[in-house]
Amino acid sequence: MIHTRLDGELLSQMVYLGASNLHKNVKIVDALNVFPVPDGDTGTNMNLTFSSGVDELSRKESIKVGESAAALAKGLLMGARGNSGVILSQLFRGFSKSVAGKDTINSRQFADALKQGVDTAYQAVMKPVEGTILTVAREAADMAVKYARTMDDIVQVMEKTLEYAKISLNRTPELLPVLKEVGVVDSGGQGLVFIYEGFLRALRGETAENVQNASSVAVLDADLDQMVEEHHNAQIHMKTEDITFGYCTEFMVWLTHSTETGKKPFIESSFRNHLDKMGDSLLVVSDDEIVKVHIHAENPGEVLNYAQQFGSLHRLKIENMREQHSTILQKEAERKQTAEPVTPPQEKLPYGLIAVAAGSGIADIFRSMGVHVVVEGGQTMNPSTEDFMNAINGLNAEKIIILPNNSNIIMASNQAKDLSDIPVAVIPTKSVPQGMAALVAFNGGADLDSNEQGMTAAANAVKTGLVTFAVRDTQMGEVTIKQDDFIGIADGKILVAEPDMMESAKGLLNQLVDEDAGLVTIIFGEGASEDQAAELEEMLSEAFPDVEVEIYAGNQPLYPFIFSVE
């Protein structure tokens, strides 16, 4: 099959097959995580990001390539999660700009659009690292430009693009030593190759039904929206402090075909009964391919992890119920305004503070330190750009400060900063301890620039330790790691691996704490107990009698202990 012109319909087919191929290979991409920790989420982030683009494209399909590309880019931008998702969104944002206003494009214009996507992505990354998805995209686009000068057939150009993307992917371990040490290729680059494989299949004539099944989605949307409205209206008789399950969680599950391995068959009654134990106000509507869910849960991450066993997640929306309740009460007051005076709007805050946290205890700590909105997320569940935009727009504040508290969330935070009409500072906190230290340095009377500098400096002065478990055998430097070992990580470097959790925690603390330390904070999460935290405190008191120790229950998943050393 030959294609000398690319229109909006064919681009849509490319996107749908690209999304399908990525989705089928999510586990492969996730497994390429360099660290052997249970939070490999590059594939999940890219899948959720690209699915958001598909959602938007399916609602705004066009025969014009410029309009279809714009819809895809908008969906990707708002749905971007994690560094890989943000870079993916920027690749297609640049692509969209290149083809804006065009009905169709030829092979040269297609290649040039890929190249402009690469240029846009590089500009979005403060310190681009070679041996990553950026390298794979750049080298593939360079070859596309080269061959498009002599090839009119877009199919042939895409073949060369994919060929060199694979060559570039296989070279990533030579460019990034840590990949070579562990024996893997770059995960983001692998995800892009899967997308490009889908693109080529579509150009060769394979077709993809609109993976959204748009008519079914529309019916389910209407049914669920009406039921949600009825449930939320019932809350006007509640008090905010009586809300037990704090997060209104909505999402869609595209049920996986039985030919795909690793997914469970969907039985609505069992699905509903399981979710019912995780919260209240549960609503489930479904057809043969799609399930839409609304639930009020205290730990939405657990809900999403369960639902993902049955298919891919789309259109995620998580809102703080306690804040949402105030909005519901306000709407009811407006409805009654003919009989009752409307309460004056809340005064605008000089600052709005937003922090990312996984674990109800950690979220409570951040709120006690003055954070106005806690965005649910962290390892394995990175918030999207849209999640941050919703948090920003939901605050009546003159200025916003965001604490991502995870290195894989900083880019999405910055993308929201760029989209916001309100001045925003993103403090590049890479851990919960850094976020807590930054909050201590916050000065409500200072300007935004001064707070950004002071809070960043405070965050950088803190040492962070994490204890988790290994998901595979590997060798990291001088540390030999066996699957299921408990590993101790200090500021991104694995220092300890032990079969016993407490031995790992003690070994890590012995390397983190020295005579200069004044305060050690122990946050224990799932898999650890307060007694075990007290045992670590006793050890520290004997070894470092002048060091003050504080213990908090964080309830965080995956990481039994988080340590902060100041």
Side-chain angles (χ1 to χ4, degrees), residues 192-234:
L192 184 64
V193 165
F194 285 137
I195 292 171
Y196 282 176
E197 285 177 346
F199 283 7
L200 181 57
R201 285 167 48 198
L203 287 169
R204 285 175 171 169
E206 292 187 42
T207 59
E209 294 182 2
N210 185 331
V211 292
Q212 280 272 68
N213 193 347
S215 60
S216 295
V217 172
V219 172
L220 295 182
D221 278 345
D223 290 346
L224 189 67
D225 289 347
Q226 181 177 354
M227 289 188 284
V228 169
E229 183 72 19
E230 292 172 357
H231 271 251
H232 284 185
N233 285 342

Side-chain angles (χ1 to χ4, degrees), residues 264-504:
K264 294 181 177 180
F266 177 76
I267 302 173
E268 183 171 329
S269 58
S270 300
F271 182 84
R272 187 188 300 272
N273 289 338
H274 189 95
L275 287 186
D276 193 47
K277 300 173 183 177
M278 297 184 175
D280 62 14
S281 298
L282 175 65
L283 301 170
V284 178
V285 293
S286 66
D287 62 12
D288 291 339
E289 295 190 9
I290 300 165
V291 183
K292 287 208 70 177
V293 177
H294 167 278
I295 186 173
H296 296 170
E298 190 64 21
N299 296 294
E302 296 177 2
V303 174
L304 298 177
N305 287 338
Y306 172 72
Q308 197 173 11
Q309 298 177 62
F310 302 92
S312 58
L313 303 182
H314 302 265
R315 295 195 189 181
L316 283 75
K317 183 173 71 172
I318 300 174
E319 295 180 338
N320 189 306
M321 277 297 299
R322 297 172 181 94
E323 294 172 1
Q324 190 183 64
H325 186 247
S326 300
T327 301
I328 294 170
L329 295 180
Q330 178 66 26
K331 286 182 179 180
E332 177 64 10
E334 291 172 357
R335 188 183 68 81
K336 296 180 177 180
Q337 62 182 343
T338 55
E340 301 177 13
V342 177
T343 304
Q346 181 184 8
E347 287 186 19
K348 181 169 285 191
L349 298 168
Y351 275 101
L353 302 180
I354 300 170
V356 180
S360 58
I362 294 177
D364 288 342
I365 293 171
F366 279 128
R367 292 190 188 100
S368 71
M369 299 180 74
V371 168
H372 301 99
V373 177
V374 175
V375 177
E376 175 80 11
Q379 303 300 100
T380 75
M381 192 177 73
N382 298 156
S384 68
T385 301
E386 187 171 19
D387 291 332
F388 286 113
M389 289 304 300
N390 289 337
I392 290 169
N393 294 330
L395 279 170
N396 186 24
E398 297 174 358
K399 301 177 289 293
I400 300 289
I401 291 177
I402 300 177
L403 302 167
N405 302 328
N406 186 294
S407 60
N408 207 31
I409 300 175
I410 294 173
M411 287 188 70
S413 305
N414 278 316
Q415 193 151 268
K417 169 186 174 179
D418 294 339
L419 293 172
S420 174
D421 295 329
I422 303 169
V424 175
V426 175
I427 313 302
T429 51
K430 298 179 181 180
S431 66
V432 167
Q434 285 193 342
M436 294 167 63
L439 283 171
V440 172
F442 170 68
N443 181 356
D447 61 36
L448 192 60
D449 288 341
S450 297
N451 266 314
E452 184 172 7
Q453 294 173 15
M455 295 173 75
T456 300
N460 291 336
V462 173
K463 291 190 288 187
T464 297
L466 305 171
V467 175
T468 186
F469 58 90
V471 295
R472 66 171 187 270
D473 294 353
T474 191
Q475 182 80 27
M476 297 294 292
E478 297 179 357
V479 181
T480 301
I481 303 167
K482 299 295 183 182
Q483 183 175 341
D484 297 327
D485 273 355
F486 286 92
I487 53 180
I489 307 170
D491 293 321
K493 183 178 181 180
I494 297 178
L495 300 181
V496 181
E498 297 285 352
D500 181 74
M501 180 183 71
M502 292 299 290
E503 288 303 311
S504 180

Side-chain angles (χ1 to χ4, degrees), residues 22 25-33 42-43 46 187 190-191 194:
L22 175 62
N25 292 285
V26 163
K27 290 185 177 180
I28 293 176
V29 180
D30 279 344
L32 294 174
N33 192 24
T42 298
M46 293 184 75
S187 54
Q190 179 65 80
F194 285 137

Side-chain angles (χ1 to χ4, degrees), residues 13-291:
Q13 288 296 317
M14 292 168 63
V15 170
Y16 295 145
L17 275 174
S20 175
N21 198 47
L22 175 62
H23 169 63
K24 290 177 182 177
N25 292 285
V26 163
K27 290 185 177 180
I28 293 176
V29 180
D30 279 344
L32 294 174
N33 192 24
V34 172
F35 274 7
V37 294
D39 59 7
D41 51 11
T42 298
T44 299
N45 282 335
M46 293 184 75
N47 182 46
L48 291 174
T49 300
F50 211 67
S51 296
S52 179
V54 168
D55 286 346
E56 187 70 18
L57 177 60
S58 69
R59 291 193 290 269
K60 298 181 180 178
E61 278 188 2
S62 171
I63 61 172
K64 298 180 179 181
V65 69
E67 293 180 356
S68 289
L72 172 65
K74 179 183 177 182
L76 289 171
L77 186 70
M78 297 306 292
R81 298 171 186 270
N83 296 342
S84 56
V86 172
I87 292 172
L88 188 65
S89 74
Q90 292 298 320
L91 288 173
F92 287 96
R93 184 184 184 192
F95 184 100
S96 173
K97 289 181 178 178
S98 182
V99 303
K102 293 181 172 61
D103 293 349
T104 64
I105 56 175
N106 59 27
S107 63
R108 288 192 178 192
Q109 291 169 317
F110 173 69
D112 289 342
L114 290 176
K115 179 61 176 175
Q116 186 165 336
V118 170
D119 294 341
T120 302
Y122 266 87
Q123 292 169 8
V125 179
M126 186 172 297
K127 295 180 180 179
V129 176
E130 297 302 334
T132 65
I133 181 176
L134 288 171
T135 306
V136 176
R138 174 175 55 78
E139 294 185 345
D142 286 345
M143 289 302 105
V145 170
K146 174 182 177 180
Y147 284 99
R149 297 298 177 255
T150 58
M151 292 177 176
D152 293 331
D153 184 6
I154 296 173
V155 180
Q156 290 182 304
V157 173
M158 190 67 235
E159 287 174 346
K160 291 297 183 182
T161 302
L162 177 59
E163 176 186 343
Y164 279 88
K166 290 180 177 179
I167 292 172
S168 180
L169 176 66
N170 290 331
R171 286 182 57 245
T172 55
E174 302 301 323
L175 298 174
L176 205 56
V178 68
L179 297 176
K180 189 172 185 178
E181 180 181 8
V182 180
V184 297
V185 296
D186 177 67
S187 54
Q190 179 65 80
L192 184 64
V193 165
F194 285 137
I195 292 171
Y196 282 176
E197 285 177 346
F199 283 7
L200 181 57
R201 285 167 48 198
L203 287 169
R204 285 175 171 169
E206 292 187 42
T207 59
E209 294 182 2
N210 185 331
V211 292
Q212 280 272 68
N213 193 347
S215 60
S216 295
V217 172
V219 172
L220 295 182
D221 278 345
D223 290 346
L224 189 67
D225 289 347
Q226 181 177 354
M227 289 188 284
V228 169
E229 183 72 19
E230 292 172 357
H231 271 251
H232 284 185
N233 285 342
Q235 294 178 10
I236 61 176
H237 304 295
M238 295 175 60
K239 296 179 180 179
T240 303
E241 57 268 24
D242 292 338
I243 295 176
T244 303
F245 300 100
Y247 295 92
C248 177
T249 305
E250 294 183 28
F251 58 92
M252 178 187 297
V253 185
W254 293 352
L255 298 178
T256 306
H257 295 294
S258 58
T259 55
E260 183 175 342
T261 60
K263 298 294 181 179
K264 294 181 177 180
F266 177 76
I267 302 173
E268 183 171 329
S269 58
S270 300
F271 182 84
R272 187 188 300 272
N273 289 338
H274 189 95
L275 287 186
D276 193 47
K277 300 173 183 177
M278 297 184 175
D280 62 14
S281 298
L282 175 65
L283 301 170
V284 178
V285 293
S286 66
D287 62 12
D288 291 339
E289 295 190 9
I290 300 165
V291 183

